[in-house]
């Protein structure tokens, strides 16, 4: 062991080695920095030798030098690689929260890149030659698409809910049905957000039934908001009853001193119900009914970036814009660019809808998916004989805490590898392919749903599978 330790070359010798000089050039790294990484590798090797766990080349031999610089190269790759990486979503879950939810349209991506690489008129009015508002870049589009009098953007929908409650109902009462006190991702609860905002929660009704008279009996001079929370991430069925939005709006119109506010959560601008998909309310319909304020997410059914969109009556939006929290919760130029690009696709109508990946993926026909899957299987088996493959009927999910009751008919490619279990195959596809491929496991099969795989990504999936 001591002999091995003495046989390890000195740092200055290794610094003159061709491998060291090559790594300097390949990684665009300075000499002292690479030397520090080299010293770390040498320390790791010494520790392994002392623990009798060094299973590579014997120190003092060419094999040892190769292994040492291989370790150094791997350390550099890990150090200078992005941790936020592209993956291929083959799960069939369209708004997969763990995989980043909505993909952006080509137009939105191009607008983000242009905005990020250049100066912009983020808060500058080009016509007047004076300071402008960042809200102006998307407000008109939101007004046109929803029918709202005014709108503003914050960094997510939870922030939108918090701002509305803080600005409109601090130290006053907000009436909410007990059955709508939902918990969203990461254990964040509407009731907790309300408590932090300074609003006073008034629960009415029961978990499964709330009547109009429950709201009427709860109204006091301290009431600031009647709030409805769209239960987009769960569904209560059976012996249930809830109060329709129009009834609550009428109740607020018949009384002075408080408003009606609906947190729509997922925020659909496209009418999925007309396509036979779910029962998600369209934002425009709620605004047209007379809602004073609505809030919804940008990166769920809307198919844009993470953002919280607040739309409604102008006098209320103006009040929110002037609140001190508006600056705390404001979005950056890249979010605005992504949202503007997405909203412009909506503004184009039917043609633009097909540019939005979320809508496009949800509307893929079963015939198209079967055609793609059959071609995928044929091409895969041309490249490898390591798999047994079946084509199964199955379902895709919308995901992202939206449309929990909706499943979309799909075709599943079921794979069994000759040497690896489904769990082992899934791990290898996650860790040994570039980009990583994320699929589903069902019993002893690895499943691929092409609904969420771009056609341009299919060959990458085939190459990844063929490499195992």
């Amino acid at each position: 062991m001591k002999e091995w330790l003495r046989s390890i070359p000195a740092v200055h010798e290794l610094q003159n080695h061709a491998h060291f000089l090559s790594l300097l050039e390949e990684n665009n790294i300075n000499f002292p920095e690479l030397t520090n990484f080299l010293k770390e590798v040498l320390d790791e090797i010494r520790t392994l030798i002392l623990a009798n766990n060094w299973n590579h080349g014997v120190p003092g031999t060419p094999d040892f030098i190769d292994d040492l610089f291989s370790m150094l190269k791997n350390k550099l790759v890990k150090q200078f690689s992005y941790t936020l990486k592209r993956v291929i979503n083959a799960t069939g879950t369209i708004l997969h929260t763990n995989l980043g939810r909505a993909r952006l349209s080509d137009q939105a991506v191009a607008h983000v890149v242009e905005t990020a690489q250049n100066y912009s008129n983020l808060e500058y009015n080009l016509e007047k030659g004076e300071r402008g508002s960042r809200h102006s870049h998307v407000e008109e589009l939101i007004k046109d698409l929803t029918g709202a009098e005014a709108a503003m953007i914050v960094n997510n929908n939870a922030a939108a809910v918090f701002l509305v409650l803080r600005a409109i109902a601090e130290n006053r009462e907000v009436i909410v049905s007990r059955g709508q006190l939902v918990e969203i991702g990461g254990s964040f609860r509407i009731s907790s957000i309300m408590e932090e905002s300074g609003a006073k929660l008034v629960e009415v009704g029961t978990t499964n039934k709330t009547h109009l008279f429950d709201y009427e009996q709860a109204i006091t001079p301290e009431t600031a908001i009647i709030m409805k929370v769209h239960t987009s991430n769960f569904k209560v069925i059976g012996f249930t009853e809830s109060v329709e939005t129009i009834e609550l709006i009428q109740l607020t119109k018949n009384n002075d001193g408080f408003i009606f506010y609906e947190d729509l959560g997922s925020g659909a601008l496209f009418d999925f119900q007309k396509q036979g998909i779910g029962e998600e309310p369209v934002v425009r319909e709620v605004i047209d009914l007379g809602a004073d304020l609505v809030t919804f997410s940008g990166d769920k059914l809307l198919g844009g970036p993470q953002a919280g969109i607040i739309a409604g009556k102008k006098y209320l939006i103006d009040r929110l814009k002037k609140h001190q929290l508006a600056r705390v919760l404001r979005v950056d130029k890249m979010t605005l660019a992504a949202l503007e690009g997405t909203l412009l696709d909506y503004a184009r109508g039917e043609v633009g809808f097909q540019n939005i990946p979320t809508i496009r993926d949800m509307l893929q026909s079963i015939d198209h998916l079967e055609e793609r899957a059959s071609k995928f299987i044929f091409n895969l088996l041309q490249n490898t004989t390591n798999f047994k493959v079946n084509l199964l009927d199955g379902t895709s999910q919308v995901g992202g805490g939206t449309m929990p009751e909706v499943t979309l008919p799909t075709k599943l490619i079921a794979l069994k590898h000759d040497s690896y279990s489904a769990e082992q195959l899934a791990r290898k596809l996650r860790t040994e392919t570039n980009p990583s491929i994320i699929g589903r496991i069902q019993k002893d099969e690895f499943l691929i749903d092409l609904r969420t795989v771009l056609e341009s990504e299919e060959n990458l999936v085939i190459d990844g599978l063929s490499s195992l």
Side-chain angles (χ1 to χ4, degrees):
M1 188 181 297
K2 290 182 180 179
E3 185 179 339
W4 276 17
L5 292 173
R6 283 195 297 269
S7 299
I8 296 174
V11 170
H12 70 271
E13 292 179 30
L14 294 170
Q15 287 173 326
N16 293 320
H17 197 282
H19 287 334
F20 185 91
L21 300 175
S22 177
L23 288 173
L24 266 178
E25 186 176 345
E26 290 172 8
N27 292 275
N28 194 27
I29 186 173
N30 63 43
F31 193 90
E33 183 105 14
L34 185 56
T35 299
N36 288 335
F37 285 119
L38 174 62
K39 290 177 180 178
E40 289 178 13
V41 169
L42 290 172
D43 287 341
E44 291 170 16
I45 291 173
R46 291 188 185 98
T47 300
L48 289 169
I49 290 174
L50 289 170
N52 202 27
N53 287 326
W54 178 253
N55 300 313
H56 303 283
V58 176
T61 67
D63 286 346
F64 174 80
I65 297 297
D66 289 342
D67 290 336
L68 184 155
F69 281 108
S70 178
M71 288 177 65
L72 180 57
K73 183 175 183 179
N74 290 338
K75 180 178 278 289
L76 292 172
V77 168
K78 185 175 181 180
Q79 177 70 26
F80 296 111
S81 293
Y82 296 119
T83 57
L84 184 61
K85 301 176 181 180
R86 171 193 178 183
V87 302
I88 294 177
N89 175 12
T91 67
T93 300
I94 297 164
L95 298 173
H96 200 304
T97 299
N98 301 133
L99 304 183
R101 288 195 181 155
R103 286 187 299 212
L104 297 178
S105 70
D106 291 343
Q107 173 161 301
V109 171
H111 194 24
V112 170
V113 172
E114 181 182 42
T115 302
Q117 289 181 331
N118 299 283
Y119 291 106
S120 65
N121 61 330
L122 176 64
E123 290 187 351
Y124 186 72
N125 187 313
L126 294 172
E127 289 187 7
K128 296 181 179 179
E130 60 188 31
R131 180 167 185 165
S133 167
R134 67 178 60 204
H135 296 297
S136 65
H137 300 291
V138 294
E139 185 170 19
E140 289 302 318
L141 281 167
I142 295 170
K143 286 165 59 178
D144 290 344
L145 292 167
T146 67
E149 293 178 6
M152 66 179 293
I153 311 301
V154 291
N155 50 29
N156 60 32
N157 192 49
V161 173
F162 184 82
L163 177 59
V164 170
L165 294 174
R166 184 60 173 259
I168 307 298
E170 186 177 11
N171 297 320
R172 296 186 65 194
E173 296 174 354
V174 178
I175 302 173
V176 186
S177 168
R178 189 169 276 109
Q180 294 171 7
L181 293 174
V182 301
E183 179 177 303
I184 57 178
S187 299
F188 291 97
R189 297 175 175 176
I190 287 292
S191 56
S192 299
I193 292 173
M194 193 174 296
E195 182 180 348
E196 292 291 336
S197 74
K200 300 175 184 177
L201 170 64
V202 179
E203 299 178 39
V204 297
T206 63
T207 302
N208 62 320
K209 279 201 169 192
T210 303
H211 305 274
L212 183 60
F213 63 75
D214 291 316
Y215 290 93
E216 292 172 331
Q217 292 172 0
I219 294 171
T220 74
E222 293 303 308
T223 301
I225 297 175
I226 289 183
M227 180 178 180
K228 181 175 182 181
V229 182
H230 180 60
T231 53
S232 56
N233 63 352
F234 75 98
K235 192 173 182 66
V236 178
I237 59 175
F239 189 58
T240 65
E241 186 172 335
S242 61
V243 183
E244 296 297 326
T245 294
I246 186 61
E247 297 178 84
L248 295 176
I249 291 172
Q250 193 59 50
L251 179 60
T252 59
K253 287 182 177 178
N254 293 338
N255 293 269
D256 292 327
F258 58 89
I259 67 166
F260 173 75
Y261 156 48
E262 182 161 0
D263 172 25
L264 290 169
S266 302
L269 297 183
F270 178 83
D271 194 343
F272 290 101
Q273 291 188 60
K274 286 185 178 179
Q275 305 297 324
I277 303 174
E279 300 175 354
E280 198 73 20
V282 177
V283 176
R284 175 177 282 277
E285 294 175 354
V286 179
I287 293 290
D288 287 347
L289 289 174
D292 295 299
L293 286 175
V294 298
T295 56
F296 51 97
S297 295
D299 61 343
K300 293 187 178 181
L301 291 178
L302 191 147
Q306 176 181 297
I309 301 170
I310 311 172
K313 298 289 193 293
K314 187 177 186 303
Y315 81 96
L316 292 169
I317 298 295
D318 287 346
R319 185 171 166 184
L320 296 176
K321 287 178 180 177
K322 292 174 184 176
H323 196 279
Q324 291 299 309
L325 279 176
R327 183 175 180 86
V328 176
L329 303 174
R330 73 180 185 178
V331 296
D332 72 328
K333 61 184 179 180
M334 286 173 282
T335 300
L336 284 169
L339 185 58
E340 184 177 29
T342 303
L343 295 174
L344 282 171
D345 280 323
Y346 276 98
R348 292 183 172 87
E350 293 295 332
V351 175
F353 294 154
Q354 285 302 314
N355 295 332
I356 299 170
T358 298
I359 297 176
R360 189 175 62 229
D361 289 348
M362 288 178 69
L363 298 184
Q364 283 192 77
S365 70
I366 191 67
D367 290 340
H368 180 58
L369 289 167
E370 183 169 15
E371 180 183 343
R372 288 181 62 194
S374 298
K375 187 184 295 184
F376 179 96
I377 291 171
F378 175 81
N379 290 335
L380 174 64
L381 296 179
Q382 294 294 306
N383 282 268
T384 178
T385 58
N386 293 333
F387 291 92
K388 293 182 179 65
V389 188
N390 287 309
L391 185 59
L392 309 175
D393 292 326
T395 57
S396 308
Q397 291 183 316
V398 178
T402 64
M403 297 187 179
E405 80 286 5
V406 172
T407 55
L408 304 170
T410 194
K411 289 292 180 178
L412 300 173
I413 301 164
L415 302 169
K416 283 187 178 182
H417 195 276
D418 291 344
S419 303
Y420 305 123
S421 68
E423 292 280 358
Q424 290 171 326
L425 179 59
R427 178 172 179 76
K428 284 183 170 293
L429 290 170
R430 289 197 312 270
T431 61
E432 296 181 17
T433 62
N434 186 24
S436 298
I437 300 163
I438 316 296
R440 285 192 250 168
I441 296 175
Q442 183 175 287
K443 296 181 180 179
D444 60 345
E445 293 179 315
F446 183 82
L447 304 180
I448 289 175
D449 186 345
L450 293 180
R451 183 184 292 278
T452 49
V453 178
L454 295 172
E455 292 189 29
S456 60
E457 293 176 326
E458 289 179 17
N459 285 336
L460 292 173
V461 178
I462 290 172
D463 290 344
L465 290 168
S466 301
S467 68
L468 301 178

